[in-house]
Amino acid sequence: MQLLKAAISQLLALAGVWLALRLWPDILEARWAPAWQAAIAALLSRLLRQPLWWLPIHLLFFPAVLFAVSLQLPAWAYLAAGLLMALVFWGTAGGDVPLFLSSPAVAAALRDIAVRERAHAFIDLGAGVASVAAPLAATMPELRVTAQERAPLPYLAARWRCRKLVNATVAGGSFWDCDLGRFDLVFAFLSPAVMRRLGRKLEREMRPGSLFVSSSFPLPDWPVSAEIHLADRRATRLYCYRIGERHG
Ligand SMILES: C[S@@+](CC[C@H](N)C(=O)[O-])C[C@H]1O[C@@H](n2cnc3c(N)ncnc32)[C@H](O)[C@@H]1O
C-alpha cells in the first residue's frame, strides 16, 4: 500500500510539473522543475498519509534519478543496486520497518536490564545485523540470546557476527511466526506502524512477569513500567513493559 502511495505521489508530481512546463514555459523555469517535482511529491505523500520517514525519500528520489542518468551508468549497475537494496531493506517498501541500528548504549542498557531481571532467554525481534544480540551474547554467556531477522543480508551479517557465540542463535524468517512464550526478556526496535499489532502478540504469548523493552516507539495504550533515557546520539528512549501489568 505504501509503495502504491509513493508511486502515485511521484507520478502525479511528475505529470503536474511536465504539464506546467508545457502550459506556462515562461513562468516555470525548466531548471527548477526537479525541485518542484520533489516538493509536490512530498506534499502528495503527506496528503496520502504516508509516514513521515517517506518525506526525504520523496524529496531525493527524482533529483537522484536525474543525477544517476547524468552519470550514464550501464543498466546492470541499476539492477545490482536495486537487488542490494531489496536484500537489505526487505519488506520496508511494504510500509513496515526499515533497518536502523541501535547504539552500543542500547546494548549496554539491555545488559543491565537482563542482569537485574535475572533473565534466561532474550530475543531481539528484527535483529538487523545483531548490533544488540551479539554484544549481549558476548558479555552474558549464561543468557540464551535469539536474533530474529528476515531481511537476507542483515541476517547473513548477524550470523557471521554471532558465529563464535555458542549462546546465540540467529533465526531467519518473520518474528510474527515466532512464539514469544519461551523468552523472559523481549526487545524490539521497529516502527510505530507495527506497535499496536505487536502489543496484541505480546499479550497473547508472553508469560506474566516477563519484560518487553521497546526502543524509541511505545506500545499504544499500554502503561509503561519504566522509561530509560540514554545519552547516545539519538537520545534513545527505552520503554519497558511488565507483562500482566496492563490492566493492573
Ligand atoms: C530498526 S531495525 C533494528 C535492528 C536491531 N534490532 C537493532 O536494534 O539494531 C529493524 C529490523 O527489523 C527487521 N524486521 C522488520 N520486520 C520484521 C519481521 N516481521 N520479522 C523479522 N525481522 C523484521 C528489519 O529487517 C530490520 O532489520
PDB file of all heavy atoms in Angstrom, residues 90 96-102 124-128 131-132 148-151 173-176 187 189-190, ligand 1:
ATOM      1  N   TRP A  90      14.424  -5.526   2.977  1.00  0.00           N
ATOM      2  CA  TRP A  90      13.360  -6.498   2.741  1.00  0.00           C
ATOM      3  C   TRP A  90      12.091  -6.082   3.483  1.00  0.00           C
ATOM      4  O   TRP A  90      12.109  -5.932   4.690  1.00  0.00           O
ATOM      5  CB  TRP A  90      13.849  -7.820   3.300  1.00  0.00           C
ATOM      6  CG  TRP A  90      13.258  -9.048   2.727  1.00  0.00           C
ATOM      7  CD1 TRP A  90      12.322  -9.825   3.316  1.00  0.00           C
ATOM      8  CD2 TRP A  90      13.611  -9.671   1.497  1.00  0.00           C
ATOM      9  NE1 TRP A  90      12.056 -10.897   2.514  1.00  0.00           N
ATOM     10  CE2 TRP A  90      12.842 -10.832   1.392  1.00  0.00           C
ATOM     11  CE3 TRP A  90      14.497  -9.364   0.469  1.00  0.00           C
ATOM     12  CZ2 TRP A  90      12.919 -11.689   0.311  1.00  0.00           C
ATOM     13  CZ3 TRP A  90      14.579 -10.206  -0.602  1.00  0.00           C
ATOM     14  CH2 TRP A  90      13.799 -11.347  -0.671  1.00  0.00           C
ATOM     15  N   ASP A  96       6.453  -1.361   6.442  1.00  0.00           N
ATOM     16  CA  ASP A  96       6.673  -1.532   7.872  1.00  0.00           C
ATOM     17  C   ASP A  96       8.017  -1.012   8.347  1.00  0.00           C
ATOM     18  O   ASP A  96       8.167   0.188   8.495  1.00  0.00           O
ATOM     19  CB  ASP A  96       6.289  -2.914   8.389  1.00  0.00           C
ATOM     20  CG  ASP A  96       6.911  -4.077   7.666  1.00  0.00           C
ATOM     21  OD1 ASP A  96       8.074  -3.968   7.302  1.00  0.00           O
ATOM     22  OD2 ASP A  96       6.210  -5.088   7.483  1.00  0.00           O
ATOM     23  N   VAL A  97       9.009  -1.891   8.541  1.00  0.00           N
ATOM     24  CA  VAL A  97      10.129  -1.468   9.378  1.00  0.00           C
ATOM     25  C   VAL A  97      11.442  -1.367   8.610  1.00  0.00           C
ATOM     26  O   VAL A  97      11.919  -2.360   8.065  1.00  0.00           O
ATOM     27  CB  VAL A  97      10.300  -2.501  10.520  1.00  0.00           C
ATOM     28  CG1 VAL A  97      11.339  -2.019  11.495  1.00  0.00           C
ATOM     29  CG2 VAL A  97       8.981  -2.729  11.211  1.00  0.00           C
ATOM     30  N   PRO A  98      12.060  -0.211   8.574  1.00  0.00           N
ATOM     31  CA  PRO A  98      13.353  -0.103   7.897  1.00  0.00           C
ATOM     32  C   PRO A  98      14.496  -0.560   8.802  1.00  0.00           C
ATOM     33  O   PRO A  98      14.286  -0.842   9.978  1.00  0.00           O
ATOM     34  CB  PRO A  98      13.470   1.391   7.604  1.00  0.00           C
ATOM     35  CG  PRO A  98      12.656   2.043   8.667  1.00  0.00           C
ATOM     36  CD  PRO A  98      11.595   1.067   9.103  1.00  0.00           C
ATOM     37  N   LEU A  99      15.710  -0.630   8.247  1.00  0.00           N
ATOM     38  CA  LEU A  99      16.877  -1.033   9.047  1.00  0.00           C
ATOM     39  C   LEU A  99      17.564   0.195   9.615  1.00  0.00           C
ATOM     40  O   LEU A  99      18.116   1.012   8.880  1.00  0.00           O
ATOM     41  CB  LEU A  99      17.857  -1.823   8.162  1.00  0.00           C
ATOM     42  CG  LEU A  99      19.194  -2.194   8.818  1.00  0.00           C
ATOM     43  CD1 LEU A  99      18.992  -3.224   9.921  1.00  0.00           C
ATOM     44  CD2 LEU A  99      20.177  -2.737   7.801  1.00  0.00           C
ATOM     45  N   PHE A 100      17.483   0.348  10.940  1.00  0.00           N
ATOM     46  CA  PHE A 100      18.311   1.313  11.671  1.00  0.00           C
ATOM     47  C   PHE A 100      19.002   0.506  12.741  1.00  0.00           C
ATOM     48  O   PHE A 100      18.420  -0.444  13.244  1.00  0.00           O
ATOM     49  CB  PHE A 100      17.457   2.360  12.401  1.00  0.00           C
ATOM     50  CG  PHE A 100      16.683   3.260  11.512  1.00  0.00           C
ATOM     51  CD1 PHE A 100      15.299   3.279  11.574  1.00  0.00           C
ATOM     52  CD2 PHE A 100      17.320   4.104  10.634  1.00  0.00           C
ATOM     53  CE1 PHE A 100      14.568   4.125  10.776  1.00  0.00           C
ATOM     54  CE2 PHE A 100      16.595   4.955   9.820  1.00  0.00           C
ATOM     55  CZ  PHE A 100      15.216   4.964   9.896  1.00  0.00           C
ATOM     56  N   LEU A 101      20.197   0.924  13.112  1.00  0.00           N
ATOM     57  CA  LEU A 101      20.915   0.126  14.105  1.00  0.00           C
ATOM     58  C   LEU A 101      20.912   0.804  15.465  1.00  0.00           C
ATOM     59  O   LEU A 101      21.092   2.022  15.573  1.00  0.00           O
ATOM     60  CB  LEU A 101      22.351  -0.099  13.636  1.00  0.00           C
ATOM     61  CG  LEU A 101      22.464  -0.775  12.260  1.00  0.00           C
ATOM     62  CD1 LEU A 101      23.915  -1.035  11.914  1.00  0.00           C
ATOM     63  CD2 LEU A 101      21.658  -2.072  12.200  1.00  0.00           C
ATOM     64  N   SER A 102      20.727  -0.009  16.499  1.00  0.00           N
ATOM     65  CA  SER A 102      20.819   0.520  17.862  1.00  0.00           C
ATOM     66  C   SER A 102      22.262   0.855  18.182  1.00  0.00           C
ATOM     67  O   SER A 102      23.199   0.236  17.657  1.00  0.00           O
ATOM     68  CB  SER A 102      20.328  -0.518  18.869  1.00  0.00           C
ATOM     69  OG  SER A 102      18.948  -0.655  18.805  1.00  0.00           O
ATOM     70  N   ASP A 124      15.695 -10.560  20.228  1.00  0.00           N
ATOM     71  CA  ASP A 124      15.571  -9.273  19.549  1.00  0.00           C
ATOM     72  C   ASP A 124      14.685  -9.506  18.329  1.00  0.00           C
ATOM     73  O   ASP A 124      15.045 -10.258  17.411  1.00  0.00           O
ATOM     74  CB  ASP A 124      16.955  -8.755  19.135  1.00  0.00           C
ATOM     75  CG  ASP A 124      16.870  -7.372  18.476  1.00  0.00           C
ATOM     76  OD1 ASP A 124      15.745  -6.885  18.248  1.00  0.00           O
ATOM     77  OD2 ASP A 124      17.935  -6.794  18.187  1.00  0.00           O
ATOM     78  N   LEU A 125      13.504  -8.872  18.322  1.00  0.00           N
ATOM     79  CA  LEU A 125      12.544  -9.037  17.208  1.00  0.00           C
ATOM     80  C   LEU A 125      12.947  -8.101  16.078  1.00  0.00           C
ATOM     81  O   LEU A 125      12.736  -6.898  16.162  1.00  0.00           O
ATOM     82  CB  LEU A 125      11.130  -8.702  17.683  1.00  0.00           C
ATOM     83  CG  LEU A 125      10.623  -9.458  18.908  1.00  0.00           C
ATOM     84  CD1 LEU A 125       9.233  -8.967  19.298  1.00  0.00           C
ATOM     85  CD2 LEU A 125      10.618 -10.952  18.650  1.00  0.00           C
ATOM     86  N   GLY A 126      13.523  -8.648  15.033  1.00  0.00           N
ATOM     87  CA  GLY A 126      14.066  -7.807  13.962  1.00  0.00           C
ATOM     88  C   GLY A 126      15.452  -7.371  14.381  1.00  0.00           C
ATOM     89  O   GLY A 126      15.670  -6.226  14.768  1.00  0.00           O
ATOM     90  N   ALA A 127      16.404  -8.315  14.306  1.00  0.00           N
ATOM     91  CA  ALA A 127      17.702  -8.096  14.958  1.00  0.00           C
ATOM     92  C   ALA A 127      18.688  -7.323  14.100  1.00  0.00           C
ATOM     93  O   ALA A 127      19.785  -7.000  14.574  1.00  0.00           O
ATOM     94  CB  ALA A 127      18.303  -9.449  15.333  1.00  0.00           C
ATOM     95  N   GLY A 128      18.328  -7.020  12.846  1.00  0.00           N
ATOM     96  CA  GLY A 128      19.273  -6.307  11.983  1.00  0.00           C
ATOM     97  C   GLY A 128      20.574  -7.087  11.858  1.00  0.00           C
ATOM     98  O   GLY A 128      20.562  -8.293  11.594  1.00  0.00           O
ATOM     99  N   SER A 131      23.385  -5.882  16.228  1.00  0.00           N
ATOM    100  CA  SER A 131      24.065  -4.821  16.994  1.00  0.00           C
ATOM    101  C   SER A 131      23.756  -4.927  18.481  1.00  0.00           C
ATOM    102  O   SER A 131      24.519  -4.447  19.308  1.00  0.00           O
ATOM    103  CB  SER A 131      23.594  -3.434  16.555  1.00  0.00           C
ATOM    104  OG  SER A 131      23.504  -3.354  15.192  1.00  0.00           O
ATOM    105  N   VAL A 132      22.608  -5.515  18.815  1.00  0.00           N
ATOM    106  CA  VAL A 132      22.252  -5.698  20.220  1.00  0.00           C
ATOM    107  C   VAL A 132      22.565  -7.132  20.641  1.00  0.00           C
ATOM    108  O   VAL A 132      23.192  -7.378  21.669  1.00  0.00           O
ATOM    109  CB  VAL A 132      20.747  -5.397  20.428  1.00  0.00           C
ATOM    110  CG1 VAL A 132      20.275  -5.878  21.781  1.00  0.00           C
ATOM    111  CG2 VAL A 132      20.496  -3.895  20.270  1.00  0.00           C
ATOM    112  N   GLN A 148      16.239 -12.605  15.750  1.00  0.00           N
ATOM    113  CA  GLN A 148      15.298 -12.992  14.690  1.00  0.00           C
ATOM    114  C   GLN A 148      15.311 -11.914  13.610  1.00  0.00           C
ATOM    115  O   GLN A 148      15.008 -10.754  13.888  1.00  0.00           O
ATOM    116  CB  GLN A 148      13.892 -13.103  15.293  1.00  0.00           C
ATOM    117  CG  GLN A 148      12.828 -13.580  14.339  1.00  0.00           C
ATOM    118  CD  GLN A 148      12.789 -15.098  14.202  1.00  0.00           C
ATOM    119  OE1 GLN A 148      13.054 -15.807  15.161  1.00  0.00           O
ATOM    120  NE2 GLN A 148      12.475 -15.576  13.009  1.00  0.00           N
ATOM    121  N   GLU A 149      15.685 -12.280  12.390  1.00  0.00           N
ATOM    122  CA  GLU A 149      15.785 -11.275  11.320  1.00  0.00           C
ATOM    123  C   GLU A 149      15.353 -11.892  10.000  1.00  0.00           C
ATOM    124  O   GLU A 149      15.771 -12.979   9.646  1.00  0.00           O
ATOM    125  CB  GLU A 149      17.226 -10.756  11.227  1.00  0.00           C
ATOM    126  CG  GLU A 149      17.507  -9.813  10.088  1.00  0.00           C
ATOM    127  CD  GLU A 149      16.598  -8.576  10.057  1.00  0.00           C
ATOM    128  OE1 GLU A 149      16.501  -7.874  11.072  1.00  0.00           O
ATOM    129  OE2 GLU A 149      15.983  -8.334   9.002  1.00  0.00           O
ATOM    130  N   ARG A 150      14.521 -11.157   9.246  1.00  0.00           N
ATOM    131  CA  ARG A 150      14.024 -11.747   7.995  1.00  0.00           C
ATOM    132  C   ARG A 150      14.710 -11.199   6.744  1.00  0.00           C
ATOM    133  O   ARG A 150      14.621 -11.807   5.686  1.00  0.00           O
ATOM    134  CB  ARG A 150      12.521 -11.547   7.883  1.00  0.00           C
ATOM    135  CG  ARG A 150      12.137 -10.130   7.585  1.00  0.00           C
ATOM    136  CD  ARG A 150      10.677  -9.974   7.292  1.00  0.00           C
ATOM    137  NE  ARG A 150      10.412  -8.565   7.143  1.00  0.00           N
ATOM    138  CZ  ARG A 150       9.208  -8.031   7.075  1.00  0.00           C
ATOM    139  NH1 ARG A 150       8.164  -8.813   7.155  1.00  0.00           N
ATOM    140  NH2 ARG A 150       9.052  -6.754   6.926  1.00  0.00           N
ATOM    141  N   ALA A 151      15.351 -10.043   6.812  1.00  0.00           N
ATOM    142  CA  ALA A 151      15.989  -9.493   5.607  1.00  0.00           C
ATOM    143  C   ALA A 151      17.292 -10.254   5.335  1.00  0.00           C
ATOM    144  O   ALA A 151      18.128 -10.397   6.235  1.00  0.00           O
ATOM    145  CB  ALA A 151      16.271  -8.010   5.784  1.00  0.00           C
ATOM    146  N   GLY A 173      13.475 -15.555   8.919  1.00  0.00           N
ATOM    147  CA  GLY A 173      12.009 -15.546   8.880  1.00  0.00           C
ATOM    148  C   GLY A 173      11.434 -14.457   9.775  1.00  0.00           C
ATOM    149  O   GLY A 173      12.158 -13.737  10.453  1.00  0.00           O
ATOM    150  N   SER A 174      10.097 -14.391   9.745  1.00  0.00           N
ATOM    151  CA  SER A 174       9.422 -13.283  10.411  1.00  0.00           C
ATOM    152  C   SER A 174       9.179 -13.561  11.885  1.00  0.00           C
ATOM    153  O   SER A 174       8.798 -14.669  12.271  1.00  0.00           O
ATOM    154  CB  SER A 174       8.085 -13.030   9.734  1.00  0.00           C
ATOM    155  OG  SER A 174       7.371 -12.069  10.452  1.00  0.00           O
ATOM    156  N   PHE A 175       9.351 -12.529  12.710  1.00  0.00           N
ATOM    157  CA  PHE A 175       9.063 -12.714  14.140  1.00  0.00           C
ATOM    158  C   PHE A 175       7.561 -12.880  14.398  1.00  0.00           C
ATOM    159  O   PHE A 175       7.167 -13.340  15.452  1.00  0.00           O
ATOM    160  CB  PHE A 175       9.641 -11.585  14.992  1.00  0.00           C
ATOM    161  CG  PHE A 175       9.113 -10.208  14.684  1.00  0.00           C
ATOM    162  CD1 PHE A 175       7.822  -9.830  15.019  1.00  0.00           C
ATOM    163  CD2 PHE A 175       9.939  -9.275  14.079  1.00  0.00           C
ATOM    164  CE1 PHE A 175       7.344  -8.568  14.741  1.00  0.00           C
ATOM    165  CE2 PHE A 175       9.470  -8.007  13.793  1.00  0.00           C
ATOM    166  CZ  PHE A 175       8.163  -7.645  14.125  1.00  0.00           C
ATOM    167  N   TRP A 176       6.735 -12.533  13.413  1.00  0.00           N
ATOM    168  CA  TRP A 176       5.291 -12.741  13.617  1.00  0.00           C
ATOM    169  C   TRP A 176       4.984 -14.232  13.737  1.00  0.00           C
ATOM    170  O   TRP A 176       3.961 -14.628  14.282  1.00  0.00           O
ATOM    171  CB  TRP A 176       4.474 -12.142  12.467  1.00  0.00           C
ATOM    172  CG  TRP A 176       4.608 -10.645  12.360  1.00  0.00           C
ATOM    173  CD1 TRP A 176       5.158  -9.952  11.327  1.00  0.00           C
ATOM    174  CD2 TRP A 176       4.198  -9.664  13.327  1.00  0.00           C
ATOM    175  NE1 TRP A 176       5.118  -8.609  11.590  1.00  0.00           N
ATOM    176  CE2 TRP A 176       4.530  -8.392  12.795  1.00  0.00           C
ATOM    177  CE3 TRP A 176       3.589  -9.721  14.586  1.00  0.00           C
ATOM    178  CZ2 TRP A 176       4.271  -7.197  13.483  1.00  0.00           C
ATOM    179  CZ3 TRP A 176       3.333  -8.526  15.252  1.00  0.00           C
ATOM    180  CH2 TRP A 176       3.661  -7.299  14.708  1.00  0.00           C
ATOM    181  N   PHE A 187      13.054  -7.818  23.212  1.00  0.00           N
ATOM    182  CA  PHE A 187      13.428  -6.457  22.801  1.00  0.00           C
ATOM    183  C   PHE A 187      12.999  -6.232  21.359  1.00  0.00           C
ATOM    184  O   PHE A 187      13.016  -7.152  20.533  1.00  0.00           O
ATOM    185  CB  PHE A 187      14.951  -6.286  22.914  1.00  0.00           C
ATOM    186  CG  PHE A 187      15.453  -5.006  22.297  1.00  0.00           C
ATOM    187  CD1 PHE A 187      15.194  -3.770  22.879  1.00  0.00           C
ATOM    188  CD2 PHE A 187      16.184  -5.026  21.106  1.00  0.00           C
ATOM    189  CE1 PHE A 187      15.653  -2.586  22.300  1.00  0.00           C
ATOM    190  CE2 PHE A 187      16.652  -3.852  20.520  1.00  0.00           C
ATOM    191  CZ  PHE A 187      16.381  -2.625  21.127  1.00  0.00           C
ATOM    192  N   PHE A 189      13.163  -2.920  18.204  1.00  0.00           N
ATOM    193  CA  PHE A 189      13.374  -1.540  17.731  1.00  0.00           C
ATOM    194  C   PHE A 189      12.780  -1.549  16.332  1.00  0.00           C
ATOM    195  O   PHE A 189      13.434  -1.937  15.377  1.00  0.00           O
ATOM    196  CB  PHE A 189      14.871  -1.239  17.747  1.00  0.00           C
ATOM    197  CG  PHE A 189      15.234   0.116  17.176  1.00  0.00           C
ATOM    198  CD1 PHE A 189      14.349   1.177  17.185  1.00  0.00           C
ATOM    199  CD2 PHE A 189      16.499   0.330  16.650  1.00  0.00           C
ATOM    200  CE1 PHE A 189      14.688   2.408  16.662  1.00  0.00           C
ATOM    201  CE2 PHE A 189      16.860   1.564  16.123  1.00  0.00           C
ATOM    202  CZ  PHE A 189      15.953   2.601  16.125  1.00  0.00           C
ATOM    203  N   LEU A 190      11.486  -1.173  16.246  1.00  0.00           N
ATOM    204  CA  LEU A 190      10.773  -1.399  14.988  1.00  0.00           C
ATOM    205  C   LEU A 190      10.255  -0.087  14.399  1.00  0.00           C
ATOM    206  O   LEU A 190      11.024   0.740  13.941  1.00  0.00           O
ATOM    207  CB  LEU A 190       9.659  -2.426  15.219  1.00  0.00           C
ATOM    208  CG  LEU A 190      10.175  -3.818  15.615  1.00  0.00           C
ATOM    209  CD1 LEU A 190       9.055  -4.717  16.095  1.00  0.00           C
ATOM    210  CD2 LEU A 190      10.907  -4.479  14.449  1.00  0.00           C
TER     211      LEU A 190
HETATM  212  C1  LIG B   1      15.144  -0.715  13.123  1.00  0.00           C
HETATM  213  S1  LIG B   1      15.950  -2.240  12.702  1.00  0.00           S
HETATM  214  C2  LIG B   1      16.559  -2.718  14.304  1.00  0.00           C
HETATM  215  C3  LIG B   1      17.750  -3.656  14.232  1.00  0.00           C
HETATM  216  C4  LIG B   1      18.258  -4.135  15.590  1.00  0.00           C
HETATM  217  N1  LIG B   1      17.192  -4.706  16.387  1.00  0.00           N
HETATM  218  C5  LIG B   1      18.905  -3.014  16.349  1.00  0.00           C
HETATM  219  O1  LIG B   1      18.289  -2.589  17.347  1.00  0.00           O
HETATM  220  O2  LIG B   1      19.997  -2.575  15.970  1.00  0.00           O
HETATM  221  C6  LIG B   1      14.542  -3.283  12.436  1.00  0.00           C
HETATM  222  C7  LIG B   1      14.862  -4.611  11.810  1.00  0.00           C
HETATM  223  O3  LIG B   1      13.691  -5.417  11.899  1.00  0.00           O
HETATM  224  C8  LIG B   1      13.645  -6.250  10.749  1.00  0.00           C
HETATM  225  N2  LIG B   1      12.260  -6.700  10.600  1.00  0.00           N
HETATM  226  C9  LIG B   1      11.181  -5.957  10.292  1.00  0.00           C
HETATM  227  N3  LIG B   1      10.064  -6.700  10.292  1.00  0.00           N
HETATM  228  C10 LIG B   1      10.457  -7.964  10.596  1.00  0.00           C
HETATM  229  C11 LIG B   1       9.772  -9.192  10.742  1.00  0.00           C
HETATM  230  N4  LIG B   1       8.439  -9.268  10.608  1.00  0.00           N
HETATM  231  N5  LIG B   1      10.474 -10.294  11.090  1.00  0.00           N
HETATM  232  C12 LIG B   1      11.826 -10.228  11.264  1.00  0.00           C
HETATM  233  N6  LIG B   1      12.544  -9.091  11.123  1.00  0.00           N
HETATM  234  C13 LIG B   1      11.866  -7.966  10.799  1.00  0.00           C
HETATM  235  C14 LIG B   1      14.109  -5.333   9.620  1.00  0.00           C
HETATM  236  O4  LIG B   1      14.575  -6.093   8.520  1.00  0.00           O
HETATM  237  C15 LIG B   1      15.241  -4.572  10.335  1.00  0.00           C
HETATM  238  O5  LIG B   1      16.468  -5.239  10.180  1.00  0.00           O
END
